Amino acid sequence: MPIKTILCSALLALKKGSESKMRITVVNHKYHYEMEKLVRLFLPNEKIEVTKEKSDGEGLYTEAGSEITVILKTADFEKKLTAPLCDDNEMQMGRMVYSLFSEYTGFHPKWGVLTGVRPSKLLIATEKRLGREKAEEYFYKDLLVSEEKYALARRVADCEQRIIALSKPNSFSLYISIPFCPTRCSYCSFVSHSVQTEKARALVPVYCNLLLKEIEEIGIIVKTLGLRLESVYVGGGTPTTLSANQLAELIASVEKNFDLSNCREFTVEAGRPDTITEEKLRVLMNSPVSRISINPQTFSDDVLKNIGRCHSAEETVTAFNLARKIGFDCINMDLIAGLPGDTEEGFGYSLDKAVSLDPENITVHTLALKRSSNLNGQDMRVTAENAKRVDGMLRYTYGRLSEKYRPYYMYRQSKSAGNLENTGWCKENTECLYNIFMMEECHTILSAGAGAVTKLKAYSGDLIERIFNFKYPFEYISGFSELTERKKRISEFYCTYF
Ligand code: SF4
């Protein structure tokens, strides 16, 4: 089928899907959650109902009886597939569902039936189990991953393995959350508060004081357990929403409470150019901070307006040049593919502009619309047309960045345009170690602040245990003593699993 026809039919199907409900009938198997996730790749905007009751009506029928049966029936499509039972019935059923929905919608997700968020982690684990060649075969034949995406996962996995090897059994990284921003971007799904209102601004100093206390508490636990700090990441939100003094206090507290002699990297997100001042940059420069992030998202002023950012593209350039002048030699820039009002040409311009500034890292995200983002009510549905546009942006990225940069970490989010990925690109030896440590879950992440999640990693095996902090700053402030209680689990965990 010609591509135009495919896309038109996909768009039509997805539009149809957006107006109705897809019923998934599950008979004699337990893969309902996986099948639902797969169907969501094709019909991201549709209501999905899972039932065990058989009926002749429209929808997807799945059964694992004497054989595997999958039937897709809609107003204008009906097809049945069967296959013998095998060693992995779930995977077999997934491929059959993928095949029917690809034919129905004309849309062929490039990550195949892979719905997990960490393709490179899966590749590394599969390679350990089966060897390199068999792992490749598994990605192509079992998961139906395209050559383009396999090549990306391969490059990322090769880079990550070198960094993962740096991690020791008693290693950990520290994450600090600053959940405040100057205004809220319309696509934002983080817990970040805009400090535009008096009420939100008043929370900041109280929050900062408690955060220093939490950092001190974590420091005591770390000393008692003899853990080794590998990397620090201050994110959010926009940490540079804090004043220069507040930033200085925060960093001094990390220096005071932790042994930084083995710390390989200290990142502070200075995400929004409208929060960056020379005074704040100098505070960061005169500290152990080794990497900052200045995030344009786009270099189009019109698109910036569409997403509710109160700064111009020029301000990003000015902030970047100032950071360079002051001496920062490792700067990341985030871009987003698929922003409202952006085009492939517009995204290409933004990427070219970022490359011309010559940052050490460029991270290209795919727009993902979560329920908590303001854009969700707008007409930003993940249609085939939108998926094709974002796919074009990512293909341009591969070509444009491959010469000077290489992909070093990657993850996927649900509800991203075209079910595509977010990829961090870096120049030689400038990988953000924290991103890899955190994404590949190779050691414990101890976290402080609202919305932060501590992830405890056992000495051996894949066991991970999470401790959640309160999500919003006001809850964090009112429930702080409860967090001290929850932290007792850190020592218990290390006593049990080390
Ligand atoms: S800068 Fe980031 S965290 Fe802050 S509102 Fe925008 S997207 Fe959300």
Side-chain angles (χ1 to χ4, degrees):
M1 215 190 295
I3 186 76
K4 199 168 166 214
T5 316
I6 292 171
L7 288 166
C8 285
S9 78
L11 186 54
L12 189 67
L14 292 173
K15 274 185 177 164
K16 276 181 189 167
S18 69
E19 289 157 5
S20 59
K21 190 194 283 180
M22 173 56 65
R23 178 188 164 101
I24 304 178
T25 306
V26 170
V27 180
N28 217 21
H29 68 83
K30 294 180 186 155
Y31 324 131
H32 51 92
Y33 181 59
E34 291 71 19
M35 295 312 123
E36 186 181 338
K37 279 203 291 184
L38 254 182
V39 171
R40 207 156 278 302
L41 297 184
F42 296 90
L43 305 173
N45 308 308
E46 190 158 352
K47 282 199 178 114
I48 294 179
E49 177 191 278
V50 180
T51 174
K52 289 185 175 172
E53 279 171 37
K54 292 186 183 184
S55 95
D56 286 340
E58 290 183 7
L60 175 71
Y61 179 89
T62 61
E63 180 177 347
S66 55
E67 60 181 359
I68 299 172
T69 306
V70 176
I71 305 167
L72 179 59
K73 193 169 168 185
T74 71
D76 51 7
F77 183 93
E78 184 169 349
K79 191 162 180 177
K80 175 179 176 180
L81 296 177
T82 58
L85 295 174
C86 61
D87 289 347
D88 195 340
N89 293 330
E90 177 190 331
M91 189 75 84
Q92 178 60 43
M93 189 178 280
R95 284 191 296 269
M96 290 157 79
V97 169
Y98 180 94
S99 164
L100 285 182
F101 273 91
S102 292
E103 193 177 333
Y104 169 50
T105 63
F107 176 48
H108 304 266
K110 289 186 169 179
W111 284 104
V113 297
L114 189 52
T115 52
V117 296
R118 300 182 182 90
S120 49
K121 185 173 187 196
L122 178 67
L123 182 55
I124 292 170
T126 312
E127 192 175 338
K128 266 191 199 147
R129 204 162 37 88
L130 305 173
R132 201 170 171 105
E133 256 176 52
K134 285 250 160 45
E136 182 173 341
E137 203 179 300
Y138 175 73
F139 264 60
Y140 286 143
K141 291 197 179 146
D142 292 276
L143 299 176
L144 308 178
V145 171
S146 70
E147 276 184 36
E148 175 193 315
K149 295 302 177 196
Y150 174 75
L152 178 65
R154 176 82 273 158
R155 290 178 76 188
V156 170
D158 287 346
C159 178
E160 284 183 337
Q161 292 191 74
R162 188 172 50 79
I163 305 298
I164 290 169
L166 299 173
S167 182
K168 311 265 182 299
N170 66 338
S171 292
F172 80 103
S173 289
L174 179 67
Y175 177 78
I176 298 171
S177 164
I178 307 294
F180 300 104
C181 289
T183 56
R184 195 163 161 87
C185 306
S186 52
Y187 59 85
C188 183
S189 58
F190 299 109
V191 293
S192 192
H193 274 31
S194 152
V195 292
Q196 269 177 318
T197 65
E198 188 76 25
K199 200 173 156 200
R201 269 198 303 279
L203 289 178
V204 179
V206 189
Y207 179 86
C208 285
N209 282 339
L210 288 174
L211 186 62
L212 299 187
K213 195 159 183 276
E214 193 182 8
I215 290 169
E216 190 183 337
E217 286 178 359
I218 296 174
I220 293 169
I221 296 170
V222 163
K223 271 189 205 116
T224 312
L225 295 173
L227 303 183
R228 171 190 160 110
L229 181 57
E230 298 286 347
S231 69
V232 181
Y233 196 100
V234 185
T238 305
T240 39
T241 306
L242 301 186
S243 68
N245 277 345
Q246 286 165 334
L247 279 173
E249 270 188 326
L250 176 70
I251 295 164
S253 151
V254 175
E255 287 184 273
K256 185 176 152 207
N257 290 294
F258 296 91
D259 174 6
L260 295 180
S261 58
N262 295 308
C263 185
R264 301 169 192 272
E265 174 188 274
F266 194 138
T267 296
V268 173
E269 279 191 22
R272 296 260 297 247
D274 45 344
T275 62
I276 297 175
T277 63
E278 180 161 354
E279 191 189 8
K280 292 180 197 178
L281 287 177
R282 290 207 182 276
V283 164
L284 301 180
M285 191 68 216
N286 297 324
S287 78
V289 171
S290 56
R291 179 179 179 270
I292 60 169
S293 199
I294 298 174
N295 301 329
Q297 313 302 15
T298 169
F299 278 98
S300 157
D301 285 340
D302 288 341
V303 178
L304 281 170
K305 258 190 225 128
N306 291 346
I307 59 173
R309 285 228 175 190
C310 302
H311 63 84
S312 65
E314 196 49 43
E315 279 177 78
T316 309
V317 176
T318 306
F320 182 89
N321 290 337
L322 181 62
R324 274 288 194 244
K325 195 177 110 201
I326 286 175
F328 285 95
D329 59 6
C330 191
I331 304 179
N332 171 65
M333 296 196 117
D334 276 3
L335 292 173
I336 300 178
L339 287 172
D342 208 359
T343 59
E344 282 186 52
E345 295 71 35
F347 177 82
Y349 169 80
S350 292
L351 188 69
D352 290 349
K353 184 76 187 170
V355 172
S356 74
L357 291 169
D358 203 26
E360 285 60 41
N361 301 167
I362 296 180
T363 310
V364 178
H365 296 267
T366 303
L367 182 67
L369 293 181
K370 299 284 170 66
R371 234 173 290 150
S372 50
S373 71
N374 289 338
L375 275 181
N376 219 11
Q378 295 181 33
D379 191 17
M380 286 299 295
R381 289 171 181 275
V382 183
T383 61
E385 205 171 45
N386 196 11
K388 181 180 170 256
R389 183 170 62 102
V390 176
D391 183 47
M393 293 173 179
L394 295 196
R395 273 188 287 112
Y396 182 73
T397 303
Y398 300 157
R400 185 71 177 85
L401 295 189
S402 279
E403 202 178 301
K404 205 164 165 191
Y405 297 84
R406 65 175 184 200
Y408 76 94
Y409 101 112
M410 169 182 47
Y411 66 100
R412 299 166 70 221
Q413 286 169 286
S414 61
K415 297 206 169 188
S416 67
N419 186 37
L420 296 165
E421 67 283 343
N422 303 325
T423 306
W425 296 76
C426 68
K427 289 192 201 167
E428 193 71 23
N429 294 323
T430 65
E431 301 89 353
C432 173
L433 307 181
Y434 173 84
N435 283 338
I436 298 176
F437 293 148
M438 183 266 303
M439 197 49 66
E440 298 308 312
E441 298 178 323
C442 54
H443 62 229
T444 287
I445 309 288
L446 298 178
S447 301
V453 182
T454 284
K455 282 163 98 181
L456 303 169
K457 169 84 167 55
Y459 179 80
S460 57
D462 289 331
L463 181 78
I464 299 273
E465 189 174 309
R466 290 173 170 78
I467 304 174
F468 293 89
N469 273 12
F470 293 109
K471 208 168 169 190
Y472 298 100
F474 68 89
E475 293 175 303
Y476 177 83
I477 292 167
S478 61
F480 188 79
S481 56
E482 163 67 19
L483 298 183
T484 308
E485 276 304 301
R486 290 184 193 176
K487 287 207 168 41
K488 289 182 180 157
R489 182 62 197 146
I490 300 174
S491 304
E492 288 167 11
F493 182 91
Y494 274 88
C495 289
T496 311
Y497 295 108
F498 278 75

